[in-house]
Amino acid sequence: MKHIVQRGLWFEEFETDVVYEHRPGRTITEADNVLFTTLTMNPQALHLDAAFSDQQPPFNQRLVNSMFTLSTLIGLSVGQLTQGTLVAQLGFSEITFPKPLFHGDTMYVETVVTGKRESKSRPGEGVVTLAHTARNQHGDVVATATRNALIRKTPEES
């Protein structure tokens, strides 16, 4: 019987200038926001205090913690791109949050590979540059991030 294990892409399988759409999306709940914010010891009232936040323009409601937004943006891409093939996260750059997320919003993520190269110091691995974009259910961009990831090449036995 044939076995298929879900995995991300090997280095050779990444294609530049292709949009990888990560589905399903993720609807963000109040519980997600409060748990993440308190687990990370972030006392920002804009994430935790409804009475305070409701009085603060321009949004007049609690905002989803931007670090949760960033973590979820990356997490939504893992199954399709890096599950089981990632060696290491090398770094992030160009992180933006053009619009906030609110409780009840749904995040959808897409990724474009903007570059890839074989590792000079680690045979069997390569560096892939990923440009991620998160949108809410209305199509508004709520976060972007560029990251470099060290990815395994296809094993010889495959």
Side-chain angles (χ1 to χ4, degrees), residues 17-86:
D17 300 320
V18 170
V19 177
Y20 295 91
E21 295 182 0
H22 312 301
R23 301 295 185 269
R26 174 71 156 76
T27 300
I28 310 304
T29 68
E30 178 180 8
D32 295 328
N33 191 40
V34 170
L35 179 61
F36 185 90
T37 299
T38 56
L39 282 174
T40 57
M41 300 186 69
N42 180 342
Q44 177 53 257
L46 287 171
H47 305 314
L48 296 172
D49 186 331
F52 172 81
S53 298
D54 289 351
Q55 302 300 314
Q56 303 305 310
F59 304 113
N60 298 95
Q61 61 182 306
R62 282 173 290 168
L63 306 177
V64 171
N65 186 315
S66 60
M67 294 297 97
F68 179 79
T69 301
L70 177 63
S71 296
T72 305
L73 171 139
I74 299 304
L76 284 168
S77 75
V78 168
Q80 188 175 13
L81 298 182
T82 62
Q83 178 65 43
T85 59
L86 179 77

Side-chain angles (χ1 to χ4, degrees), residues 73-142:
L73 171 139
I74 299 304
L76 284 168
S77 75
V78 168
Q80 188 175 13
L81 298 182
T82 62
Q83 178 65 43
T85 59
L86 179 77
V87 177
Q89 195 75 264
L90 300 177
F92 288 88
S93 63
E94 303 173 34
I95 298 169
T96 68
F97 303 102
K99 292 193 175 201
L101 275 176
F102 304 105
H103 300 158
D105 281 348
T106 300
M107 183 190 306
Y108 297 96
V109 174
E110 60 192 41
T111 301
V112 174
V113 177
T114 59
K116 65 184 244 185
R117 65 172 178 79
E118 292 188 21
S119 173
K120 296 178 180 97
S121 61
R122 299 180 61 102
E125 299 168 1
V127 177
V128 179
T129 302
L130 305 161
H132 302 286
T133 302
R135 298 176 193 278
N136 65 16
Q137 68 276 13
H138 307 295
D140 300 324
V141 175
V142 296

